Amino acid sequence: MFKRMSVLVRRDGDTRDYFSAKWKGHAAPVASLPRVRGYIQNHIEQEFPVPGKQAPIRADGFVELYWDKPEDMAEAFKSPLAKPMIDDEPNFLGHGSGYALAAAPSLQDSEGGKLILALVYEEACTLFDELDDEIAALPVLHFIRDEVVKLIDKPYMTPSQPVTSFIHLYFDGSENTRKAGEQLASFFAGKDQVRAGIYGVYTVRFV
């Protein structure tokens, strides 16, 4: 399987609620793309700022798209069925960046709460042993790390927003999600080698 993620930002002047409603309506043309194997929208409900630091990206939602192989994705976006998707984007989307990932784990639905972490760091970063220990102390039901291997620019939405990796953490309810978001924000406050955006989301799966 091949996975692509995208970070979406609403248009200036739009509320996040308006953006989310229009984005859900955008699902039909995306789900109709040829050979798409999975399509999940992650709508941001809450952000957990890291004290003393600026988030590395702006975000209002995260897309997870799956194909059998990268060539299927390339053909899908070139097909006539992609035109309704492209034509609809200006109706709700202010900015978007796409990311090809190193590996594609199986699709994971979220019936409770979910955090997405967007991390930016240098290749030599030694943070992850500490981060794994921090995550192990949380009531996490499922954990996915998506390593970015390529930034996929939208030609008419520049500059792009680089991300080094995404982490998906699944919980059994909103309270555990909130507590984990606050705990991770405190953790990253003392880590100068990484910038972290921490987002509480609800997910909607269309494929």
Side-chain angles (χ1 to χ4, degrees):
M1 292 281 281
F2 170 77
K3 181 178 179 182
R4 168 181 170 151
M5 280 196 67
S6 296
V7 173
L8 305 186
V9 181
R10 66 185 186 268
R11 301 181 303 184
D12 291 341
D14 287 346
T15 66
R16 187 168 278 171
D17 285 344
Y18 177 88
F19 164 82
S20 288
K22 296 292 286 186
W23 184 22
K24 289 174 185 174
H26 183 71
V30 179
S32 298
L33 290 173
R35 299 180 183 175
V36 64
R37 300 302 187 200
Y39 174 35
I40 294 174
Q41 294 182 354
N42 297 275
H43 295 252
I44 294 177
E45 295 184 294
Q46 188 173 5
E47 299 184 39
F48 299 91
V50 176
K53 295 185 179 181
Q54 185 175 358
I57 61 170
R58 294 174 57 210
D60 292 291
F62 299 90
V63 181
E64 297 174 78
L65 278 169
Y66 290 77
W67 279 271
D68 287 333
K69 54 185 184 294
E71 293 79 8
D72 288 348
M73 181 193 74
E75 291 178 11
F77 280 102
K78 292 177 182 177
S79 78
L81 290 175
K83 188 176 186 305
M85 175 191 71
I86 295 168
D87 289 347
D88 185 50
E89 286 182 344
N91 295 323
F92 72 100
L93 184 60
H95 189 278
S97 296
Y99 311 84
L101 305 174
S106 59
L107 277 75
Q108 181 71 32
D109 291 316
S110 174
E111 297 180 0
K114 180 181 178 183
L115 291 176
I116 292 181
L117 281 57
L119 306 181
V120 177
Y121 52 87
E122 299 296 328
E123 288 186 8
C125 179
T126 59
L127 170 77
F128 282 106
D129 286 344
E130 292 180 66
L131 180 56
D132 287 346
D133 290 342
E134 188 75 13
I135 290 172
L138 301 174
V140 176
L141 300 177
H142 193 72
F143 164 43
I144 294 172
R145 179 181 295 146
D146 284 327
E147 300 294 338
V148 176
V149 295
K150 182 180 179 181
L151 182 62
I152 305 171
D153 291 318
K154 281 184 174 292
Y156 54 95
M157 293 184 178
T158 56
S160 56
Q161 299 197 96
V163 174
T164 314
S165 65
F166 296 95
I167 293 177
H168 309 251
L169 302 173
Y170 300 80
F171 301 87
D172 64 359
S174 59
E175 184 63 14
N176 281 338
T177 307
R178 181 188 62 79
K179 289 180 179 178
E182 293 172 351
Q183 185 171 330
L184 288 165
S186 296
F187 170 81
F188 283 111
K191 308 301 177 187
D192 293 334
Q193 68 268 49
V194 63
R195 291 188 296 146
I198 306 171
Y199 307 92
V201 303
Y202 73 91
T203 68
V204 186
R205 180 173 173 179
F206 295 94
V207 178

